[in-house]
Amino acid sequence: MGRPRGFDIDEALERAMQVFWERGYEGVSLTDLTKAMGITKPSLYAAFGNKEELFRKALERYTEGPADYGTRALEKPTARGVAEAILRGAVRTTTRPGGPAGCLVVQGALASSDAGRPAHDMLVEWRNDSGLRLEERFQRAVDEGDLPRDADPRKLARYVMTVTFGIAVQAAGGLGRDELQDIADMALERWLP
């Protein structure tokens, strides 16, 4: 029977998520992670596996935490409500006071060398899955008559995802919440009836 952990695993994972969010997968060393998490390398390996597995767990935490607005948005009763909830959620999440600017899913994939390829691939899969779920929701809106019959759910999903990730990039570049909300509002002005 092993010794009990000398640290809070949830707290350590939260700190790792914040570091990955701020600096990306490749911008973070194991030393950076262990320092931020307040643990040793052997403890990191024992609790989380390698850096790639820690990143996967941090991405899951991000999906269920700061980025859960995307999942909740899919439950909105109208397609416009879905788009609005996603864009407003992106603005809030990418400009959280005291938190990293931008989006873990965008920041995490920057500068992808061969060593960072697994993280890059995880993030591409995450974005593709999110886009597919949004497309399916917009298809349901077409089927239910909420969107016009000739609306293209794939194009609408790509549009919303592109604006969402553009908001994240602009937030990481220093654009403030009000300016980003103006961008979201402009995108919604162009929405279908």
Side-chain angles (χ1 to χ4, degrees):
M1 191 161 133
R3 293 185 334 194
R5 284 195 179 97
F7 64 94
D8 181 325
I9 198 161
D10 286 330
E11 172 89 11
L13 185 56
E14 177 70 21
R15 290 178 182 170
M17 179 191 73
Q18 295 292 327
V19 172
F20 282 128
W21 188 347
E22 186 176 321
R23 299 191 217 162
Y25 180 82
E26 289 190 41
V28 176
S29 69
L30 285 176
T31 301
D32 296 331
L33 288 165
T34 56
K35 183 177 177 185
M37 297 166 76
I39 63 175
T40 64
K41 285 182 185 178
S43 294
L44 184 148
Y45 289 122
F48 301 104
N50 60 21
K51 181 180 174 184
E52 180 183 330
E53 285 304 310
L54 175 59
F55 183 75
R56 183 181 311 279
K57 289 174 181 161
L59 180 59
E60 288 169 5
R61 185 176 190 90
Y62 178 78
T63 302
E64 294 166 3
D68 73 338
Y69 68 85
T71 301
R72 288 191 327 269
L74 297 176
E75 298 168 2
K76 296 292 181 186
T78 66
R80 181 183 172 83
V82 170
E84 184 172 356
I86 288 172
L87 295 175
R88 292 189 189 287
V91 170
R92 278 191 316 276
T93 299
T94 61
T95 60
R96 294 182 339 158
C103 166
L104 173 64
V105 177
V106 173
Q107 298 296 106
L110 298 177
S112 186
S113 68
D114 287 342
R117 196 69 182 166
H120 174 269
D121 293 346
M122 266 185 255
L123 296 170
V124 167
E125 182 179 332
W126 189 97
R127 289 189 301 266
N128 289 342
D129 179 63
S130 296
L132 181 59
R133 289 185 303 133
L134 186 55
E135 180 183 338
E136 289 169 351
R137 176 60 184 88
F138 288 156
Q139 181 60 57
R140 190 177 97 207
V142 170
D143 295 344
E144 293 173 351
D146 177 44
L147 285 174
R149 275 269 178 252
D150 62 346
D152 187 328
R154 176 172 288 161
K155 286 181 182 176
L156 288 172
R158 287 180 179 163
Y159 173 71
V160 171
M161 295 298 288
T162 299
V163 174
T164 299
F165 291 126
I167 286 170
V169 169
Q170 293 289 358
L175 223 54
R177 184 173 281 199
D178 291 341
E179 291 119 334
L180 294 170
Q181 190 56 59
D182 288 343
I183 292 168
D185 292 344
M186 186 180 296
L188 290 167
E189 286 172 12
R190 312 275 188 277
W191 190 255
L192 298 170

